[in-house]
């Protein structure tokens, strides 16, 4: 069986769907191939406990909904009914002594919360919030939605302006160094260090300090997708269909067809051959090049560099709960807002306790605290039956336990029970009587479910200095072109990375258009154009 499309996109995750949507509206007959039965990748919402309880089993906290161009360009809100809720109380840390501190969407309220622990930290947060907001608006967000440039070129451009020169001063510092320079109180430091490292940034890693202002800014701006995270992938797929594209699920790739150094299409395992003018892969470089292109079509040095690509040092352990009640934190007696917090950081209350937990992860050990929890149905009642609620515990965890990765099969339920017990000490009404059922996801389960997230790598490759920017995944592919003509790469393994930014898929579509001589139908967002006009990008 044979068929033909203008373009094929391998991978139906956020970036694959994003690229497909842009290319479909550009007039291309596009086919998306997804190995799972359900599209969306990490945009997964599933009934894994009891029917009627919708659990976001991977992506929960949407960080870039106020910047990503896809929402405006595709008119996902206006034409497809997509909605996000942005909680007023975004991230909190309840303490065992009944006190608490919170990050609000309103920086003045955050400062008031911090002032209970340190007036100096309250003022420091005010100053830092507005500075980091400028970093986001004028450089960090715009840089997410343009193709990568060599690091030296970027430094030269950033050196032209006072604001971006100041951002450069953070570059070689670790998250801990930055947090300790800004804040003094141990609880404030603990919360802000967690906010900076929540997405797996090593607390002591130097060379990626620009991520700290980004993550600390985002800690005040996370959003909940109404109807569950999968709703987002669902509406993008509708856009693809409405513009003449097609999505195939359960499509297992046999090979990317390469003739004389040119990508010609894809063969799937049932023998179907799909011809195309171009192919874009949004899965990891190992599968793309070593499994599907084949080493015989690649330079040995490129093969070596592909093999050198590293996964993350940590993954996530999750517990999804079907509940009879929303949480009532003990700390709510002193601050009722804590019950309305989107994200609560539990069980590690100081910077030193956070670091001790992360060090245990490095040793392949488990601890009972240092996790975040959320109850999405508090904000979006459609995610649970009437009068019921959903809950999530998410903890940084090692893929390789000291006893080996397969030991997760033996300790998963025991560890889940420890974390639920810790949560119960902070929110006493979350207990055996209110937890109707729970579902556990280990780092090993993440790898089994999403095979491009090897070793439970939620960002599809570690964030290290030599794997970021123009070097992600390597200097040959970071601008979405590859050594194979008409083969493009655009997943989370490529700049700007993972976490449902949509940056890689958006930038990949631009690269395809430029390389194939296709006229883009979209214009850069104004904040991107402003940065380009300043010669920052």
């Amino acid at each position: 069986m044979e068929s033909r499309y203008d373009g094929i996109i391998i991978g139906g995750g956020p970036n694959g769907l994003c690229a497909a949507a842009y290319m479909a509206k550009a007039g291309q007959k596009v086919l998306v191939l997804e190995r799972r039965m359900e599209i969306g990748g990490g945009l997964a919402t599933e009934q894994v406990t009891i029917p009627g309880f919708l659990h976001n089993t991977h992506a929960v906290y949407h960080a870039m909904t106020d910047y990503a161009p896809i929402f405006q360009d595709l008119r996902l809100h206006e034409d497809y009914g997509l909605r996000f809720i942005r909680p007023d109380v975004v991230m909190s840390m309840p303490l065992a002594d009944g006190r608490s501190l919170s990050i609000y969407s309103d920086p003045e309220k955050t400062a008031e919360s911090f002032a209970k622990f340190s007036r100096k930290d309250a003022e420091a947060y005010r100053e830092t919030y507005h500075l980091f907001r400028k970093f986001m608006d004028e450089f960090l967000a715009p840089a997410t939605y343009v193709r990568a440039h060599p690091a030296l070129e970027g430094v030269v451009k950033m050196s032209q302006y006072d604001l971006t020169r100041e951002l450069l001063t953070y570059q070689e510092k670790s998250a801990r160094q930055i947090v300790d320079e800004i804040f003094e109180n141990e609880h404030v430091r603990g919360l802000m260090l967690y906010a900076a490292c929540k997405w797996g940034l090593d607390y002591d890693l130097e060379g990626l300090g620009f991520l700290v202002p980004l993550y600390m800014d985002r800690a005040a701006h996370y959003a909940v997708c109404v109807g569950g995270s999968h709703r987002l992938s669902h509406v993008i797929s509708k856009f693809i269909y409405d513009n003449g594209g097609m999505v195939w699920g359960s499509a297992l790739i046999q090979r990317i067809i390469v003739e004389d150094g040119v990508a010609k299409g894809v063969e799937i395992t049932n023998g179907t051959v799909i011809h195309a003018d171009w192919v874009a892969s949004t899965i990891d470089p190992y599968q793309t090049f070593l499994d599907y292109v084949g080493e015989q079509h690649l330079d040995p040095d490129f093969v070596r560099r592909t093999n050198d690509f590293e996964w993350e040092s940590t993954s996530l352990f999750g517990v999804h709960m079907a509940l009879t009640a929303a949480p009532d934190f003990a700390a709510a007696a002193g601050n009722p807002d804590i019950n309305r917090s989107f994200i609560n950081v539990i069980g590690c209350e100081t910077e030193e306790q956070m670091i001790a937990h992360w060090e245990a992860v490095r040793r392949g050990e488990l601890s009972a605290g240092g996790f975040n929890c959320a109850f999405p149905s508090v904000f979006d009642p459609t995610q649970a039956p009437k009068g019921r609620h959903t809950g999530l515990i998410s903890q940084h965890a090692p893929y390789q336990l000291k006893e080996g990765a397969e030991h997760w099969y033996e300790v998963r339920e025991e560890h889940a029970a420890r974390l639920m017990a810790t949560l119960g000490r902070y929110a006493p009404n979350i207990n055996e009587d209110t937890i109707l059922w729970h579902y556990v996801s280990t780092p090993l389960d993440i790898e089994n479910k999403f095979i491009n997230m090897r070793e439970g790598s939620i960002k599809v490759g570690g964030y290290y200095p030599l794997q970021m920017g123009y070097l992600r995944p390597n200097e040959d592919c970071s601008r979405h072109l590859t050594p194979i003509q008409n083969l493009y790469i655009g997943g989370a393994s490529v700049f700007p990375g993972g976490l449902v930014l949509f940056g890689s898929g958006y930038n990949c579509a631009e690269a395809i258009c430029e390389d194939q001589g296709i006229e883009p139908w979209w214009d850069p967002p104004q904040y991107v154009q402003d940065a380009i006009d300043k010669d920052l990008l």
Side-chain angles (χ1 to χ4, degrees):
M1 177 180 173
E2 297 189 4
S3 58
R4 181 166 190 85
Y5 285 81
D6 294 329
I8 298 169
I9 292 178
I10 299 172
N15 286 300
L17 294 174
C18 176
Y22 277 89
M23 296 311 299
K25 189 170 179 181
Q28 295 283 286
K29 182 182 178 184
V30 175
L31 172 65
V32 179
L33 299 176
E34 167 57 45
R35 74 177 294 273
R36 300 186 70 222
M37 295 180 68
E38 187 61 75
I39 62 168
L43 293 171
T45 304
E46 303 170 283
Q47 298 186 62
V48 290
T49 57
I50 299 172
F53 290 84
L54 304 181
H55 299 278
N56 301 294
T57 51
H58 198 75
V60 185
Y61 312 124
H62 296 269
M64 295 292 278
T65 57
D66 48 348
Y67 288 110
I70 189 172
F71 298 106
Q72 289 73 40
D73 289 345
L74 274 56
R75 293 178 54 86
L76 297 181
H77 302 298
E78 300 89 340
D79 296 347
Y80 292 88
L82 182 69
R83 289 198 300 128
F84 287 97
I85 295 170
R86 294 174 173 79
D88 295 329
V89 194
V90 187
M91 184 180 292
S92 299
M93 179 184 282
L95 306 180
D97 63 10
R99 295 180 298 163
S100 64
L101 61 161
S102 299
I103 300 173
Y104 293 78
S105 59
D106 181 345
E108 286 304 312
K109 290 184 178 179
T110 305
E112 291 172 13
S113 176
F114 286 11
K116 298 173 185 176
F117 296 85
S118 165
R119 292 190 179 277
K120 179 181 176 183
D121 286 352
E123 187 56 37
Y125 183 82
R126 286 190 181 96
E127 295 177 3
T128 300
Y129 175 89
H130 294 293
L131 175 62
F132 288 2
R133 193 100 267 264
K134 290 187 71 176
F135 287 162
M136 283 295 297
D137 287 343
E138 297 187 30
F139 182 77
L140 292 171
T144 303
Y145 301 104
V146 296
R147 296 160 69 188
H149 295 281
L152 182 58
E153 179 183 327
V155 169
V156 170
K157 291 187 174 188
M158 291 175 70
S159 299
Q160 300 176 85
Y161 295 94
D162 290 343
L163 181 69
T164 44
R165 274 199 302 270
E166 186 170 2
L167 177 58
L168 283 173
T169 65
Y170 289 85
Q171 181 64 19
E172 297 307 317
K173 298 177 182 179
S174 70
R176 184 182 189 182
Q177 288 170 334
I178 294 171
V179 168
D180 286 358
E181 287 175 4
I182 299 172
F183 303 106
E184 64 175 10
N185 179 268
E186 61 178 357
H187 301 299
V188 175
R189 283 180 170 180
L191 178 59
M192 296 310 292
L193 188 62
Y194 189 86
C197 299
K198 181 178 181 296
W199 297 115
L201 178 65
D202 291 341
Y203 75 92
D204 55 354
L205 177 66
E206 297 177 357
L208 295 180
F210 72 92
L211 289 175
V212 176
L214 191 156
Y215 289 155
M216 287 173 63
D217 175 85
R218 294 296 85 192
H221 297 93
Y222 291 123
V224 188
C225 187
V226 174
S229 294
H230 183 68
R231 172 71 179 159
L232 177 50
S233 57
H234 174 70
V235 298
I236 299 173
S237 71
K238 288 184 68 176
F239 183 94
I240 293 169
Y241 290 130
D242 288 348
N243 285 274
M246 178 60 67
V247 180
W248 290 0
S250 301
L252 304 181
I253 307 297
Q254 180 69 35
R255 65 185 176 114
I256 295 172
I257 301 168
V258 177
E259 298 176 2
D260 298 323
V262 181
K264 298 287 188 178
V266 169
E267 180 181 359
I268 57 180
T269 54
N270 66 5
T272 298
V273 173
I274 309 137
H275 301 284
D277 296 329
W278 54 266
V279 177
S281 173
T282 60
I283 58 178
D284 66 88
Y286 291 92
Q287 290 187 86
T288 300
F289 297 111
L290 305 183
D291 294 344
Y292 299 146
V293 169
E295 294 185 22
Q296 70 274 21
H297 297 293
L298 300 165
D299 179 82
D301 183 63
F302 181 84
V303 171
R304 177 190 58 78
R305 284 182 287 127
T306 300
N307 277 313
D308 287 343
F309 189 75
E310 295 184 62
W311 305 109
E312 292 172 69
S313 59
T314 64
S315 183
L316 294 177
F317 178 89
V319 184
H320 299 270
M321 300 168 289
L323 304 169
T324 62
D328 185 11
F329 286 93
N335 177 19
D337 285 353
I338 204 79
N339 284 343
R340 299 189 298 107
S341 181
F342 184 23
I343 304 167
N344 283 284
V345 182
I346 302 292
C348 286
E349 302 181 359
T350 67
E351 179 182 59
E352 292 302 326
Q353 290 174 354
M354 285 291 178
I355 290 171
H357 163 61
W358 289 324
E359 286 296 324
V361 172
R362 287 177 172 176
R363 296 191 299 268
E365 299 172 355
L366 301 175
S367 56
F371 58 84
N372 73 75
C373 62
F375 304 87
S377 57
V378 169
F379 307 96
D380 175 19
T382 70
Q383 298 193 33
K386 187 175 182 180
R388 299 288 193 254
H389 287 278
T390 57
L392 161 70
I393 291 171
S394 181
Q395 183 187 47
H396 294 128
Y399 171 80
Q400 282 288 352
L401 295 168
K402 288 196 301 184
E403 302 84 352
E406 292 192 355
H407 190 58
W408 275 117
Y409 292 128
E410 299 178 32
V411 300
R412 54 190 292 140
E413 288 296 339
E414 175 187 345
H415 189 52
R418 292 173 69 201
L419 299 188
M420 288 187 285
T422 298
L423 173 58
R425 289 196 290 274
Y426 289 84
N429 73 322
I430 304 300
N431 53 44
E432 292 180 349
D433 296 328
T434 52
I435 301 174
L436 297 172
W437 202 257
H438 72 269
Y439 167 84
V440 176
S441 173
T442 73
L444 190 58
D445 296 318
I446 292 174
E447 177 183 61
N448 291 338
K449 192 172 193 177
F450 305 111
I451 63 172
N452 63 327
M453 297 184 188
R454 296 191 187 186
E455 299 184 14
S457 181
I458 63 168
K459 300 189 294 295
V460 198
Y463 281 9
Y464 307 119
L466 295 180
Q467 285 191 184
M468 294 297 286
Y470 195 69
L471 300 177
R472 187 173 183 88
N474 56 56
E475 61 271 29
D476 290 326
C477 299
S478 59
R479 286 179 59 81
H480 310 284
L481 308 177
T482 76
I484 304 297
Q485 185 180 338
N486 295 344
L487 174 64
Y488 308 91
I489 187 167
S493 296
V494 186
F495 173 83
L499 307 177
V500 196
L501 308 176
F502 292 108
S504 186
Y506 176 84
N507 296 336
C508 183
E510 178 186 306
I512 295 170
C513 284
E514 180 180 297
D515 199 49
Q516 294 288 322
I518 300 166
E519 184 68 28
W521 54 268
W522 65 94
D523 294 317
Q526 188 59 52
Y527 66 89
V528 172
Q529 189 60 55
D530 290 344
I532 293 172
D533 291 343
K534 290 181 180 179
D535 197 32
L536 278 171
L537 301 174

Short mmCIF file of all heavy atoms in Angstrom, two decimals, residues 176 190 193-194 203-204 347-370 395-396 398:
data_model
loop_
_atom_site.label_atom_id
_atom_site.label_comp_id
_atom_site.label_asym_id
_atom_site.label_seq_id
_atom_site.Cartn_x
_atom_site.Cartn_y
_atom_site.Cartn_z
N ARG A 176 21.00 28.03 42.93
CA ARG A 176 21.19 28.32 44.36
C ARG A 176 21.91 29.64 44.56
O ARG A 176 21.54 30.42 45.45
CB ARG A 176 21.96 27.18 45.03
CG ARG A 176 22.10 27.37 46.54
CD ARG A 176 22.89 26.28 47.21
NE ARG A 176 22.81 26.41 48.65
CZ ARG A 176 23.44 25.61 49.52
NH1 ARG A 176 24.18 24.60 49.06
NH2 ARG A 176 23.31 25.79 50.81
N GLY A 190 13.76 28.43 50.24
CA GLY A 190 13.30 27.09 49.88
C GLY A 190 12.25 27.12 48.80
O GLY A 190 12.31 26.36 47.82
N LEU A 193 13.84 28.52 45.45
CA LEU A 193 14.73 27.55 44.82
C LEU A 193 13.92 26.43 44.18
O LEU A 193 14.26 25.97 43.08
CB LEU A 193 15.71 26.98 45.84
CG LEU A 193 16.82 26.10 45.27
CD1 LEU A 193 17.70 26.88 44.30
CD2 LEU A 193 17.66 25.47 46.37
N TYR A 194 12.84 26.02 44.84
CA TYR A 194 11.98 25.00 44.22
C TYR A 194 11.36 25.55 42.94
O TYR A 194 11.30 24.85 41.92
CB TYR A 194 10.89 24.54 45.19
CG TYR A 194 10.13 23.35 44.66
CD1 TYR A 194 10.60 22.06 44.87
CD2 TYR A 194 8.97 23.52 43.90
CE1 TYR A 194 9.93 20.96 44.35
CE2 TYR A 194 8.30 22.42 43.38
CZ TYR A 194 8.78 21.15 43.61
OH TYR A 194 8.13 20.06 43.07
N TYR A 203 20.14 22.26 41.00
CA TYR A 203 20.26 23.46 41.83
C TYR A 203 21.67 24.03 41.83
O TYR A 203 21.86 25.23 42.05
CB TYR A 203 19.81 23.15 43.26
CG TYR A 203 20.81 22.35 44.07
CD1 TYR A 203 21.77 22.98 44.85
CD2 TYR A 203 20.82 20.95 44.03
CE1 TYR A 203 22.70 22.25 45.59
CE2 TYR A 203 21.72 20.22 44.75
CZ TYR A 203 22.67 20.87 45.54
OH TYR A 203 23.59 20.13 46.24
N ASP A 204 22.69 23.19 41.60
CA ASP A 204 24.07 23.65 41.66
C ASP A 204 24.75 23.71 40.29
O ASP A 204 25.96 23.92 40.21
CB ASP A 204 24.88 22.76 42.60
CG ASP A 204 24.81 21.28 42.21
OD1 ASP A 204 24.06 20.93 41.27
OD2 ASP A 204 25.50 20.46 42.85
N GLY A 347 6.56 19.20 52.42
CA GLY A 347 7.47 18.27 53.08
C GLY A 347 8.92 18.69 53.16
O GLY A 347 9.69 18.09 53.90
N CYS A 348 9.33 19.68 52.39
CA CYS A 348 10.65 20.31 52.53
C CYS A 348 10.39 21.79 52.67
O CYS A 348 9.85 22.42 51.76
CB CYS A 348 11.54 20.02 51.32
SG CYS A 348 12.18 18.34 51.25
N GLU A 349 10.78 22.36 53.81
CA GLU A 349 10.34 23.72 54.14
C GLU A 349 11.45 24.75 54.09
O GLU A 349 11.20 25.94 54.27
CB GLU A 349 9.70 23.71 55.53
CG GLU A 349 8.52 22.76 55.61
CD GLU A 349 7.86 22.75 56.98
OE1 GLU A 349 8.34 23.49 57.88
OE2 GLU A 349 6.87 22.04 57.16
N THR A 350 12.68 24.30 53.86
CA THR A 350 13.81 25.22 53.80
C THR A 350 14.68 24.86 52.60
O THR A 350 14.56 23.78 52.02
CB THR A 350 14.68 25.16 55.06
OG1 THR A 350 15.31 23.87 55.11
CG2 THR A 350 13.85 25.37 56.32
N GLU A 351 15.58 25.77 52.27
CA GLU A 351 16.51 25.52 51.19
C GLU A 351 17.34 24.27 51.46
O GLU A 351 17.53 23.43 50.58
CB GLU A 351 17.42 26.73 51.01
CG GLU A 351 18.45 26.58 49.90
CD GLU A 351 19.37 27.78 49.80
OE1 GLU A 351 20.05 28.09 50.80
OE2 GLU A 351 19.39 28.42 48.74
N GLU A 352 17.85 24.13 52.67
CA GLU A 352 18.69 22.98 52.99
C GLU A 352 17.93 21.68 52.88
O GLU A 352 18.46 20.65 52.43
CB GLU A 352 19.29 23.13 54.39
CG GLU A 352 20.31 24.26 54.51
CD GLU A 352 21.48 24.10 53.54
OE1 GLU A 352 21.88 22.94 53.27
OE2 GLU A 352 21.97 25.13 53.04
N GLN A 353 16.66 21.67 53.29
CA GLN A 353 15.86 20.46 53.16
C GLN A 353 15.61 20.12 51.70
O GLN A 353 15.63 18.94 51.32
CB GLN A 353 14.54 20.63 53.91
CG GLN A 353 14.70 20.65 55.42
CD GLN A 353 13.40 20.97 56.13
OE1 GLN A 353 12.37 21.29 55.51
NE2 GLN A 353 13.43 20.91 57.47
N MET A 354 15.39 21.14 50.88
CA MET A 354 15.22 20.90 49.44
C MET A 354 16.48 20.27 48.85
O MET A 354 16.41 19.28 48.10
CB MET A 354 14.94 22.22 48.71
CG MET A 354 13.56 22.77 48.89
SD MET A 354 12.33 21.75 48.07
CE MET A 354 10.85 22.64 48.55
N ILE A 355 17.62 20.84 49.20
CA ILE A 355 18.87 20.33 48.66
C ILE A 355 19.13 18.90 49.13
O ILE A 355 19.59 18.05 48.36
CB ILE A 355 20.03 21.28 49.05
CG1 ILE A 355 19.88 22.59 48.28
CG2 ILE A 355 21.39 20.64 48.77
CD1 ILE A 355 20.81 23.68 48.74
N ALA A 356 18.81 18.61 50.39
CA ALA A 356 18.99 17.24 50.89
C ALA A 356 18.13 16.26 50.11
O ALA A 356 18.57 15.13 49.81
CB ALA A 356 18.64 17.20 52.38
N HIS A 357 16.92 16.67 49.75
CA HIS A 357 16.05 15.80 48.94
C HIS A 357 16.66 15.56 47.56
O HIS A 357 16.73 14.42 47.09
CB HIS A 357 14.67 16.44 48.80
CG HIS A 357 13.84 15.87 47.70
ND1 HIS A 357 13.44 14.55 47.65
CD2 HIS A 357 13.35 16.45 46.56
CE1 HIS A 357 12.75 14.33 46.55
NE2 HIS A 357 12.67 15.46 45.87
N TRP A 358 17.13 16.62 46.91
CA TRP A 358 17.70 16.46 45.57
C TRP A 358 18.99 15.64 45.60
O TRP A 358 19.27 14.89 44.67
CB TRP A 358 17.94 17.83 44.94
CG TRP A 358 16.66 18.52 44.56
CD1 TRP A 358 15.52 17.93 44.08
CD2 TRP A 358 16.37 19.92 44.64
NE1 TRP A 358 14.54 18.88 43.85
CE2 TRP A 358 15.04 20.11 44.18
CE3 TRP A 358 17.10 21.03 45.04
CZ2 TRP A 358 14.43 21.36 44.12
CZ3 TRP A 358 16.51 22.28 44.99
CH2 TRP A 358 15.19 22.45 44.53
N GLU A 359 19.75 15.77 46.66
CA GLU A 359 20.95 14.96 46.80
C GLU A 359 20.58 13.48 46.96
O GLU A 359 21.28 12.60 46.45
CB GLU A 359 21.80 15.44 47.98
CG GLU A 359 22.53 16.74 47.71
CD GLU A 359 23.55 16.61 46.58
OE1 GLU A 359 24.19 15.55 46.46
OE2 GLU A 359 23.71 17.59 45.82
N ALA A 360 19.50 13.20 47.68
CA ALA A 360 19.03 11.82 47.80
C ALA A 360 18.64 11.27 46.43
O ALA A 360 18.94 10.10 46.11
CB ALA A 360 17.85 11.75 48.76
N VAL A 361 18.01 12.09 45.61
CA VAL A 361 17.65 11.67 44.26
C VAL A 361 18.91 11.29 43.49
O VAL A 361 18.94 10.26 42.79
CB VAL A 361 16.86 12.78 43.53
CG1 VAL A 361 16.66 12.43 42.06
CG2 VAL A 361 15.51 13.02 44.19
N ARG A 362 19.96 12.09 43.62
CA ARG A 362 21.21 11.79 42.92
C ARG A 362 21.78 10.44 43.36
O ARG A 362 22.43 9.75 42.58
CB ARG A 362 22.23 12.90 43.17
CG ARG A 362 21.93 14.18 42.42
CD ARG A 362 22.94 15.27 42.76
NE ARG A 362 22.76 16.44 41.90
CZ ARG A 362 23.46 17.56 42.01
NH1 ARG A 362 24.38 17.67 42.96
NH2 ARG A 362 23.24 18.57 41.18
N ARG A 363 21.55 10.08 44.61
CA ARG A 363 22.06 8.80 45.12
C ARG A 363 21.15 7.63 44.78
O ARG A 363 21.42 6.50 45.16
CB ARG A 363 22.25 8.89 46.64
CG ARG A 363 23.29 9.90 47.09
CD ARG A 363 23.60 9.73 48.57
NE ARG A 363 22.43 9.92 49.42
CZ ARG A 363 22.06 11.09 49.96
NH1 ARG A 363 22.78 12.19 49.71
NH2 ARG A 363 20.99 11.18 50.72
N GLY A 364 20.04 7.91 44.09
CA GLY A 364 19.10 6.85 43.77
C GLY A 364 18.19 6.48 44.92
O GLY A 364 17.63 5.38 44.97
N GLU A 365 18.01 7.42 45.85
CA GLU A 365 17.20 7.17 47.05
C GLU A 365 15.89 7.94 46.99
O GLU A 365 15.74 8.93 46.26
CB GLU A 365 17.99 7.58 48.30
CG GLU A 365 19.28 6.81 48.47
CD GLU A 365 20.14 7.35 49.60
OE1 GLU A 365 19.77 8.40 50.19
OE2 GLU A 365 21.20 6.75 49.88
N LEU A 366 14.94 7.51 47.81
CA LEU A 366 13.63 8.15 47.88
C LEU A 366 13.45 8.81 49.22
O LEU A 366 13.96 8.35 50.24
CB LEU A 366 12.53 7.10 47.65
CG LEU A 366 12.60 6.34 46.33
CD1 LEU A 366 11.53 5.25 46.28
CD2 LEU A 366 12.43 7.29 45.16
N SER A 367 12.69 9.90 49.22
CA SER A 367 12.37 10.59 50.48
C SER A 367 10.88 10.88 50.52
O SER A 367 10.19 10.84 49.50
CB SER A 367 13.19 11.88 50.60
OG SER A 367 12.98 12.72 49.47
N ALA A 368 10.40 11.20 51.71
CA ALA A 368 8.95 11.35 51.91
C ALA A 368 8.44 12.76 51.66
O ALA A 368 7.24 13.00 51.75
CB ALA A 368 8.58 10.90 53.33
N GLY A 369 9.34 13.70 51.37
CA GLY A 369 8.90 15.08 51.15
C GLY A 369 9.49 15.64 49.88
O GLY A 369 10.01 14.93 49.03
N GLY A 370 9.40 16.98 49.77
CA GLY A 370 9.98 17.64 48.62
C GLY A 370 9.20 17.46 47.35
O GLY A 370 9.77 17.40 46.27
N GLN A 395 6.75 14.38 42.38
CA GLN A 395 8.01 14.49 43.11
C GLN A 395 9.19 14.20 42.18
O GLN A 395 9.16 13.25 41.40
CB GLN A 395 8.04 13.50 44.27
CG GLN A 395 9.29 13.58 45.13
CD GLN A 395 9.37 12.47 46.16
OE1 GLN A 395 9.15 11.31 45.85
NE2 GLN A 395 9.69 12.84 47.40
N HIS A 396 10.26 15.03 42.27
CA HIS A 396 11.50 14.68 41.59
C HIS A 396 11.99 13.33 42.12
O HIS A 396 12.01 13.11 43.33
CB HIS A 396 12.58 15.74 41.85
CG HIS A 396 12.27 17.06 41.26
ND1 HIS A 396 12.30 18.24 41.97
CD2 HIS A 396 11.91 17.42 40.00
CE1 HIS A 396 11.99 19.26 41.19
NE2 HIS A 396 11.74 18.78 39.99
N PRO A 398 14.59 9.62 41.08
CA PRO A 398 15.59 9.03 40.17
C PRO A 398 14.96 7.98 39.26
O PRO A 398 14.06 7.25 39.67
CB PRO A 398 16.58 8.37 41.14
CG PRO A 398 15.75 8.01 42.33
CD PRO A 398 14.70 9.09 42.45
#
